[in-house]
Amino acid sequence: MMKPLKLSIAISTILTISACSLMPDYQRPEPTIAIANQQKESTLNVAELGWRDFYLDPKLEQLISKALANNQNLRVSSLTVEQLREQFRIQKAAKLPTVNAEGSVTRQRTPESLSGIGRSGITDTYSVGLGISAWELDFFGRIDSLSESALQQFLASKSARDSMQLTLIAQVADAWFSWLASDAQQQLSSETREARAESYQLIEKRFNSGLASELDVRQAETALHEARVLEAQYKQQANQNFTNLQLLVGQTLDKDEWKKDWYEIKTLRDIPANLTSDVLLSRPDVMQAESIIKSANADIGAARAAFFPRISLTTSLGFGGTSFGQLGEASSRQWAIAPQFTLPLLDWGVNQANLNVAELQKDINIAQYQQVIQEAFKEVRDEMEARYTLDAQLDAQNDLTASTKRSLELARYRFNAGIDSYLDVLDAQRSSINSELNQIDTRLLRLRNQLTLYKALGGGLYEETPTAAPSQN
């Protein structure tokens, strides 16, 4: 009879010698594009720059916090991360035996014809103990491979959630800036409409006095209607931008509470923009794509293990007897051990097809990984190059706006002096208003460039509490 200690030692030995992994060694694919290392020692790591340190305006910080708390898409993504964490725990637990407490009581009547002693009888049987049912011994690493695959799926989901968070933060900032910009343009067009209404009334009075022609009146009237149309257009655009902001934040907002003068917005923190391979490889979307490759790599190990025998073990250890009182006696000890193995002999190519599918899936994931890196490289490079041209464009636009305002002043002076016609004033007005509207648009583009570059460089996650990876031990 095998002693319980010997049985425990045997099980421990099996655990120790199991798990000869058939999973291929993972090597990170080399990017298909050459990324020069331009990082300087003093350059800030943007990925470690929290969004509160980048978006410096207090109102915007509050809006982003609300969006992170209320956005349902982000909540679904976070719950999916937790779900995959639990699935990993389930898969990992499959490597260890499940020990169950077992007990039974059986009362059986044996008829006279079968008793062997010439009379019928009733027999009671009591049993209690511990048992392990169909525990698979992972000699060839099948369960280890499935566990690694589940872990990488969890990490991929976490990276997907991080990527969604970066996008949400940037979208909220963009929506707020867009609303304030269109609101500023609406105010500008409203002031223009009021000024043109006054000009129209003044010229109409001059016409009635014989000091202006009807052409001057009609030109002033046309300019007034143009300003009315422009005001309505920007009002509609501002309303749409505010609705989009509310959708991203996930709640109804009071316009007066969140409105701010366009020219009083705190600027975004300036960031370095040196593109390195480390920057790209640490982006959440790139990390997600790499985790998917690692998951497929682990699936190959599981598919390879399917060609080898699958060995399982069922054991029990306890006491049995014909009365309850016998269960504590040493002579009532009982045990059983039943190893079983299954070896595929003829599966009509199913296992080979599964292995081919796993290897092809890894190749597909590698190609997708390379594509993600290429897109990330293009996104960062485009924004890096745009930042310098937008700076120059904004400087030029500021100078142009100042010049058109001065031209408008001179045109009005010459018209009042009777030197030029009102058409010259209208031309100067149109140039001035268009220049101011374009100045707002250009500044908005510059802000968008900064926040897009910040997101493209992986910034914005540092201050959020990360979802910890489950232990692999």
Side-chain angles (χ1 to χ4, degrees), residues 62-95:
Q62 294 177 48
L63 287 171
I64 293 175
S65 296
K66 289 178 179 292
L68 293 176
N70 298 335
N71 187 270
Q72 295 304 309
N73 289 333
L74 188 62
R75 174 172 170 77
V76 169
S77 182
S78 298
L79 292 174
T80 300
V81 172
E82 297 305 318
Q83 182 186 47
L84 289 173
R85 180 209 293 271
E86 298 307 314
Q87 289 178 353
F88 164 72
R89 291 178 59 187
I90 293 172
Q91 186 59 60
K92 181 183 176 183
K95 186 177 179 181

Side-chain angles (χ1 to χ4, degrees), residues 345-464:
L345 296 179
L346 183 60
D347 65 358
W348 308 104
V350 172
N351 283 339
Q352 184 60 51
N354 285 334
L355 177 58
N356 294 341
V357 168
E359 291 175 341
L360 288 171
Q361 186 61 55
K362 180 180 178 181
D363 292 339
I364 292 172
N365 294 341
I366 290 176
Q368 292 173 338
Y369 171 79
Q370 299 287 11
Q371 182 179 5
V372 170
I373 287 185
Q374 291 173 0
E375 292 173 353
F377 177 83
K378 180 181 183 302
E379 181 182 8
V380 174
R381 178 61 69 184
D382 287 347
E383 297 302 327
M384 285 171 56
E385 294 176 351
R387 68 186 301 188
Y388 301 111
T389 58
L390 284 171
D391 283 341
Q393 184 178 340
L394 183 58
D395 288 342
Q397 190 65 51
N398 292 337
D399 293 339
L400 177 61
T401 301
S403 297
T404 55
K405 284 183 177 181
R406 178 57 180 162
S407 296
L408 177 59
E409 292 176 359
L410 294 174
R412 284 173 175 166
Y413 174 80
R414 292 173 66 85
F415 171 73
N416 293 331
I419 301 175
D420 291 332
S421 69
Y422 191 68
L423 181 61
D424 295 320
V425 177
L426 290 178
D427 287 340
Q429 281 183 338
R430 290 189 181 98
S431 296
S432 180
I433 182 67
N434 289 336
S435 180
E436 289 189 74
L437 292 173
N438 290 335
Q439 183 185 43
I440 295 174
D441 284 333
T442 304
R443 187 181 182 219
L444 177 60
L445 289 175
R446 181 65 179 93
L447 290 171
R448 282 176 173 169
N449 168 259
Q450 287 179 280
L451 67 88
T452 302
L453 181 58
Y454 174 65
K455 179 180 77 73
L457 293 172
L461 291 174
Y462 184 68
E463 292 188 6
E464 299 304 312

Side-chain angles (χ1 to χ4, degrees), residues 237-388:
Q237 185 175 337
N239 289 336
Q240 290 176 342
N241 288 336
F242 187 74
T243 300
N244 183 45
L245 177 62
Q246 292 184 107
L247 178 62
L248 291 169
V249 172
Q251 68 179 65
T252 302
L253 301 173
D254 182 358
K255 283 186 178 181
D256 293 335
E257 180 182 358
W258 300 104
K259 185 177 293 187
K260 191 165 188 176
D261 186 278
W262 173 248
Y263 298 99
E264 293 181 359
I265 300 173
K266 287 191 176 181
T267 58
L268 304 179
R269 176 170 174 173
D270 193 27
I271 56 175
N274 291 324
L275 178 58
T276 68
S277 58
D278 291 340
V279 169
L280 289 186
L281 295 179
S282 62
R283 279 176 44 133
D285 55 345
V286 176
M287 294 175 65
Q288 176 189 0
E290 185 175 10
S291 292
I292 293 175
I293 295 176
K294 292 179 179 179
S295 177
N297 189 68
D299 288 338
I300 292 175
R304 288 177 175 176
F307 288 90
F308 295 88
R310 185 176 300 182
I311 303 171
S312 61
L313 181 66
T314 300
T315 66
S316 63
L317 177 66
F319 297 88
T322 58
S323 67
F324 184 77
Q326 292 178 334
L327 296 181
E329 298 177 359
S331 60
S332 299
R333 289 180 299 178
Q334 61 182 11
W335 61 269
I337 181 168
Q340 181 182 6
F341 81 94
T342 303
L343 177 64
L345 296 179
L346 183 60
D347 65 358
W348 308 104
V350 172
N351 283 339
Q352 184 60 51
N354 285 334
L355 177 58
N356 294 341
V357 168
E359 291 175 341
L360 288 171
Q361 186 61 55
K362 180 180 178 181
D363 292 339
I364 292 172
N365 294 341
I366 290 176
Q368 292 173 338
Y369 171 79
Q370 299 287 11
Q371 182 179 5
V372 170
I373 287 185
Q374 291 173 0
E375 292 173 353
F377 177 83
K378 180 181 183 302
E379 181 182 8
V380 174
R381 178 61 69 184
D382 287 347
E383 297 302 327
M384 285 171 56
E385 294 176 351
R387 68 186 301 188
Y388 301 111

Side-chain angles (χ1 to χ4, degrees), residues 106-328:
T106 304
R107 167 163 283 197
Q108 178 178 348
R109 181 185 184 278
T110 304
E112 180 180 343
S113 58
L114 298 178
S115 67
I117 58 175
R119 65 177 183 275
S120 63
I122 297 176
T123 305
D124 293 333
T125 303
Y126 296 84
S127 177
V128 65
L130 302 176
I132 298 173
S133 299
W135 166 43
E136 181 177 344
L137 306 179
D138 197 25
F139 284 112
F140 302 102
R142 188 185 76 88
I143 297 177
D144 261 352
S145 296
L146 294 176
S147 177
E148 176 65 18
S149 177
L151 173 62
Q152 295 303 327
Q153 290 172 17
F154 160 78
L155 295 176
S157 70
K158 181 183 179 299
S159 295
R161 187 260 183 202
D162 292 345
S163 182
M164 181 178 294
Q165 177 175 306
L166 290 183
T167 300
L168 177 61
I169 292 173
Q171 286 176 337
V172 172
D174 183 270
W176 191 62
F177 290 144
S178 297
W179 171 52
L180 295 182
S182 56
D183 182 71
Q185 290 172 324
Q186 178 194 343
Q187 293 179 17
L188 182 60
S189 60
S190 178
E191 293 171 359
T192 301
R193 189 253 313 152
E194 293 174 356
R196 289 183 178 180
E198 293 177 358
S199 297
Y200 170 68
Q201 294 173 359
L202 177 62
I203 293 176
E204 191 175 34
K205 288 181 181 180
R206 296 182 63 178
F207 170 71
N208 294 332
S209 301
L211 300 176
S213 66
E214 184 180 0
L215 178 61
D216 290 336
V217 175
R218 298 305 162 221
Q219 288 174 338
E221 184 180 28
T222 299
L224 172 61
H225 296 328
E226 287 176 348
R228 291 174 57 204
V229 171
L230 197 63
E231 181 183 14
Q233 289 175 342
Y234 281 115
K235 183 176 182 179
Q236 179 186 7
Q237 185 175 337
N239 289 336
Q240 290 176 342
N241 288 336
F242 187 74
T243 300
N244 183 45
L245 177 62
Q246 292 184 107
L247 178 62
L248 291 169
V249 172
Q251 68 179 65
T252 302
L253 301 173
D254 182 358
K255 283 186 178 181
D256 293 335
E257 180 182 358
W258 300 104
K259 185 177 293 187
K260 191 165 188 176
D261 186 278
W262 173 248
Y263 298 99
E264 293 181 359
I265 300 173
K266 287 191 176 181
T267 58
L268 304 179
R269 176 170 174 173
D270 193 27
I271 56 175
N274 291 324
L275 178 58
T276 68
S277 58
D278 291 340
V279 169
L280 289 186
L281 295 179
S282 62
R283 279 176 44 133
D285 55 345
V286 176
M287 294 175 65
Q288 176 189 0
E290 185 175 10
S291 292
I292 293 175
I293 295 176
K294 292 179 179 179
S295 177
N297 189 68
D299 288 338
I300 292 175
R304 288 177 175 176
F307 288 90
F308 295 88
R310 185 176 300 182
I311 303 171
S312 61
L313 181 66
T314 300
T315 66
S316 63
L317 177 66
F319 297 88
T322 58
S323 67
F324 184 77
Q326 292 178 334
L327 296 181

Side-chain angles (χ1 to χ4, degrees), residues 25-85:
D25 292 334
Y26 173 75
Q27 293 184 348
R28 173 183 287 170
E30 290 293 331
T32 56
I33 54 176
I35 305 174
N37 238 344
Q38 302 173 355
Q39 194 84 4
K40 298 179 181 179
E41 292 183 2
S42 60
T43 299
L44 173 69
N45 185 352
V46 179
E48 296 183 357
L49 179 65
W51 59 265
R52 294 183 187 276
D53 296 322
F54 177 73
Y55 298 106
L56 303 178
D57 196 286
K59 285 185 180 291
L60 180 54
E61 290 181 7
Q62 294 177 48
L63 287 171
I64 293 175
S65 296
K66 289 178 179 292
L68 293 176
N70 298 335
N71 187 270
Q72 295 304 309
N73 289 333
L74 188 62
R75 174 172 170 77
V76 169
S77 182
S78 298
L79 292 174
T80 300
V81 172
E82 297 305 318
Q83 182 186 47
L84 289 173
R85 180 209 293 271

